[in-house]
Amino acid sequence: MRAFSIIELLIACAVGMTGIIAASLLVLGAPLMLENARLERHAYAVADTLLDRAKTRANKDFTSLANTSTTTEDGFEQELSLVPLHAPLAAFVEAYVGWTDARGEHRRVQVASLITNPDAARFESCSPILFGTWSALRKAASFPLGAGSYAISGIAISRDLLVTSLSTTLGPGDATLSFYSLGNFPEHPQLLRAHDNAPTSRTGYAAVVAGQGYIYAANAFGSASPATCMSYACSQVHILSPQGELVGSLALGTTTGARAISAGSLTTPGKSLLYAEEILYVGLEKTVDGMEFNIIDVRNPSSPAWLGGVRVGRSVHGIAVSNGHAYLATSDPLRELIIVDIREPSRPRIVGTWDAPGSQNFGLGNRIFVRDGQVYLGRTYVNNAPEFWVLDTTNLQAPTPLASVDLGKSLQPESVNGLIVRQGLVLVLSGKRLLTLAPINESYVEQAVPVNLAGTGTALSCRGNTLFIGSTDEGGRGFIEAYEST
């Protein structure tokens, strides 16, 4: 019994000593723990400050965002890293902060945020980020525009307003621009108002875009008659308010400056449009004397002003702008892609071209999209070459093909009539189908079952994550179809 008591006493002493040692370590280590906690909190505060400063810069000038080298302030290493997401729409920004803690160990924290370009958000109705599953699209709505010859040439979306332009109508005086409310979407959009570009002609608009609260339309009607061209009927550009009221127009000159004369002394019709940052880029049909690519200042919509232009020698079917350059999809069989330096709007100049392979006078440039330094070019049907191309324009003078997809077949001759690029996916409106392509192993392959349309697709646009497609069936009826992810 006595021996057992001694063992118990020894155990009790050991436990007591352990407690004393632990308490001593806790007392001695507490200041270090508190100091490390304080340093970590401060590091996170520095990282948050870096992100806040980046957001402030982005609100003033999104293009000023850039990676920063490591700097040290008050013992804290600071670094900012960004990855553009479909420049210039958004960027994924990470702030890194490093320091040496109270024990002499190096520590590091990081805080990330998605920063969007407020200007681009105003100009683009599409969301740069995809939501849901895009391997199978779901039809959200479908509605006809009515009977008759309704060839839909364009779709513009501004907030809850959808505007369709028609290239031709059943008769003179029929509306060629229609304004619909999307407020009750996906129910049948309500027709709010309509507008006709040239009351004496069946010819309508070739394209329509939205920008900063206004609707801009490329007038496809041209005439040699001064009486017919009175007022705005022959102006290449029409500017309308969301209420459908014509607030401004621009007729390019016939003698000096922005000349635009076609064969037979006709005023050259408009063909394509792009709006970006209070500038309207206008493509015309081929002129006899004039400039097919024009730059228009629309800061004052009631009085648009021509800034400069370039003679292309062919029709300009599509326009994209990025980093001070305009990329033109043209009907030139030797220059389907033309690159124009627009950094001086009053003195634009051609700096590069690309000749797409295939039969001459076929497979002409038709649609174009630029994102993240790559050009996506869609062509009209050609029987011995691809209709869809992706090009690297690091060397503007000599673009390099990266990938291509042959869409049209002899029994199914399809042209690319619409292009949208979003988060790695390319949405291609091709004849009677909507294709979803993605880059895999240096090629582009279909990522979803093609969507079969109600007619021949001629216009493609989107709002958020909803796609809107304009098509015309065999009976001449125009349709708007809307698709969403599943």
Side-chain angles (χ1 to χ4, degrees), residues 88-138:
L89 297 183
F92 182 74
V93 183
E94 291 181 292
Y96 299 93
V97 177
W99 75 99
T100 301
D101 69 11
R103 292 188 174 90
E105 297 179 359
H106 189 268
R107 302 277 302 280
R108 196 185 197 203
V109 298
Q110 69 184 75
V111 178
S113 177
L114 178 68
I115 298 179
T116 58
N117 182 354
D119 290 330
R122 293 205 310 269
F123 305 141
E124 293 214 21
S125 58
C126 290
S127 167
I129 308 299
L130 294 172
F131 296 99
T133 301
W134 286 79
S135 59
L137 299 183
R138 176 183 66 85

Side-chain angles (χ1 to χ4, degrees), residues 150 166 169-177 195-199 201-203:
Y150 288 101
L166 306 180
T169 60
L170 189 62
D174 289 346
T176 51
L177 208 63
H195 171 81
D196 185 30
N197 63 312
S201 172
R202 295 177 56 241
T203 302

Side-chain angles (χ1 to χ4, degrees), residues 57 70 119 150 421 449:
R57 286 201 306 274
T70 302
D119 290 330
Y150 288 101
V421 181
V449 177

Side-chain angles (χ1 to χ4, degrees), residues 12-90:
C13 290
V15 172
M17 185 61 68
T18 301
I20 293 172
I21 294 173
S24 300
L25 291 176
L26 182 62
V27 172
L28 294 175
L32 295 179
M33 295 172 59
L34 293 174
E35 176 63 11
N36 284 338
R38 184 189 70 80
L39 292 172
E40 185 172 356
R41 286 198 305 271
H42 185 72
Y44 276 109
V46 172
D48 288 336
T49 300
L50 289 176
L51 290 182
D52 289 339
R53 290 174 181 171
K55 293 175 182 178
T56 300
R57 286 201 306 274
N59 288 333
K60 294 180 179 179
D61 180 11
F62 188 82
T63 60
S64 68
L65 284 180
N67 294 319
T68 63
S69 56
T70 302
T71 60
T72 302
E73 183 177 344
D74 295 332
F76 287 86
E77 301 168 354
Q78 306 174 23
E79 180 185 349
L80 199 67
S81 173
L82 67 90
V83 177
L85 295 177
H86 306 310
L89 297 183

Side-chain angles (χ1 to χ4, degrees), residues 42 101 112 115 155 157 206 239 278 294-295 302 314 319 322-323 339-340 345 361 388 407 419 429 440 460:
H42 185 72
D101 69 11
I115 298 179
I155 300 174
I157 299 176
I239 305 175
E278 300 181 323
N294 296 271
I295 304 174
S302 63
R314 293 282 182 164
I319 304 171
S322 178
N323 294 328
I339 304 173
V340 181
N361 297 322
F388 171 73
L407 302 174
L419 277 177
L429 182 61
I440 298 179
L460 175 65

Side-chain angles (χ1 to χ4, degrees), residues 242-257:
Q243 291 72 41
E245 300 171 348
L246 186 73
V247 298
S249 63
L250 178 69
L252 299 175
T254 57
T255 55
T256 59

